Amino acid sequence: MARGWRMGAGLSLLLFFTVAAAQPWRQSDYIAQAFLTIALGREYQQASDYLVKWQQPVRVFIRHQVKYVVLHDTLVAAQLSHLASITGLTIHQVASIDEANVVITFTEQAQWQSLVADELGADSAAHLHGSVCLANIVEHGGHIEFARVYIPVDLARFHGKLVACVVEELTQILGLPNDSDRVFPSIFNDKSPEVLLTGLDYLLLKLLYQPVLIAGSQYQALQAPLATILWQWQQDGTIASASQTVRQGTLYRLLGYSP
């Protein structure tokens, strides 16, 4: 019996390493580098920066400037529920824009450039060419204080990216602001076909809100805690089960994906 158990364990270990080799994102070094790329990079800046995250409850107001209100509310509520379950953040919707520290605007292409220019400035509006949606974070010392998301619904639907915009932009305003073609499979890769959060995205979000990763931390200060966390997650199965775990999200169920 004992001998048979050892053979089974050996086979399982071999299978794990085979899967890890076939899927680099399951390797600790890959996850750590992906995290540093997405969390410290800035989409429209060359230099890496510091870690940003929420330190307070997230209060969301949805501003509707187009129809299909129920659909948009449903998509946002599903994604917010998933994000709260992964990060441990308190995230809830509020009835007034004055109560909010996150404003999500569903608008139309004809209005969004002037809207972004009015609320974020001409520099932000200049980055809209070629974009389908936009997120913006206001932070101080690594502590996110306010965020905005703009989704021009007609443009997003034309490109088949309405759901992708909701998922990516709401995720990025939690403190993962960069995109990179080197991170795969991920919603943070503009060349990836992913629409919903992947197992890797789940791990990046979960990492970001580990208490030991301090807001404002820079590259060197993150190395040791990342290595410790990821070693533990390799041991306890968090990494191995990430893809299955993320598929429990509300949007996965809403869109008919099997667990």
Side-chain angles (χ1 to χ4, degrees):
M1 179 67 72
R3 183 177 180 182
W5 179 86
R6 286 195 298 271
M7 290 175 63
L11 182 60
S12 296
L13 189 61
L14 176 62
L15 179 60
F16 171 78
F17 283 115
T18 301
V19 170
Q23 298 179 308
W25 70 266
R26 293 178 181 269
Q27 300 174 13
S28 295
D29 288 348
Y30 188 100
I31 298 166
Q33 188 55 53
F35 178 80
L36 294 168
T37 298
I38 300 302
L40 299 188
R42 300 295 184 264
E43 190 169 2
Y44 299 113
Q45 300 175 17
Q46 293 299 316
S48 293
D49 219 301
Y50 49 80
L51 202 67
V52 297
K53 56 200 293 188
W54 289 91
Q55 305 288 305
Q56 59 178 311
V58 180
R59 306 180 303 276
V60 179
F61 179 77
I62 306 176
R63 181 168 55 175
H64 296 283
Q65 297 182 342
V66 291
K67 56 183 180 178
Y68 305 117
V69 170
V70 174
L71 171 63
H72 300 154
D73 280 348
T74 300
L75 292 175
V76 169
Q79 180 63 7
L80 292 180
S81 173
H82 199 187
L83 293 172
S85 70
I86 296 170
T87 62
L89 284 170
T90 299
I91 304 176
H92 60 274
Q93 293 186 47
V94 295
S96 166
I97 196 169
D98 295 330
E99 304 173 68
N101 52 22
V102 171
V103 177
I104 303 168
T105 302
F106 287 93
T107 186
E108 58 185 18
Q109 184 178 7
Q111 298 180 21
W112 88 306
Q113 185 161 3
S114 59
L115 182 63
V116 169
D118 288 345
E119 296 186 350
L120 300 182
D123 288 346
S124 294
H127 293 303
L128 296 183
H129 180 71
S131 299
V132 181
C133 38
L134 178 72
N136 173 265
I137 293 173
V138 177
E139 57 85 24
H140 181 72
H143 297 237
I144 302 176
E145 298 176 346
F146 200 90
R148 296 177 175 87
V149 171
Y150 301 89
I151 302 176
V153 175
D154 51 346
L155 181 63
R157 290 172 69 97
F158 176 80
H159 289 280
K161 290 183 176 287
L162 178 60
V163 173
C165 278
V166 170
V167 172
E168 180 176 355
E169 306 302 350
L170 268 61
T171 303
Q172 289 198 304
I173 62 169
L174 295 192
L176 297 173
N178 199 23
D179 289 323
S180 174
D181 295 346
R182 294 176 294 168
V183 176
F184 182 86
S186 173
I187 62 167
F188 303 112
N189 183 333
D190 289 337
K191 295 182 179 178
S192 168
E194 310 299 336
V195 174
L196 304 182
L197 295 175
T198 68
L200 177 58
D201 297 329
Y202 165 83
L203 294 171
L204 301 185
L205 275 165
K206 192 174 176 67
L207 275 173
L208 178 62
Y209 282 92
Q210 295 300 298
V212 71
L213 299 188
I214 307 300
S217 296
Q218 295 182 307
Y219 186 92
Q220 289 300 328
L222 294 169
Q223 300 298 310
L226 278 175
T228 299
I229 295 167
L230 291 170
W231 181 87
Q232 180 60 49
W233 286 359
Q234 288 285 16
Q235 305 307 306
D236 66 18
T238 299
I239 294 174
S241 63
S243 289
Q244 182 178 2
T245 302
V246 80
R247 294 178 71 90
Q248 305 301 317
T250 309
L251 259 184
Y252 269 98
R253 297 196 301 271
L254 185 65
L255 297 179
Y257 288 86
S258 58

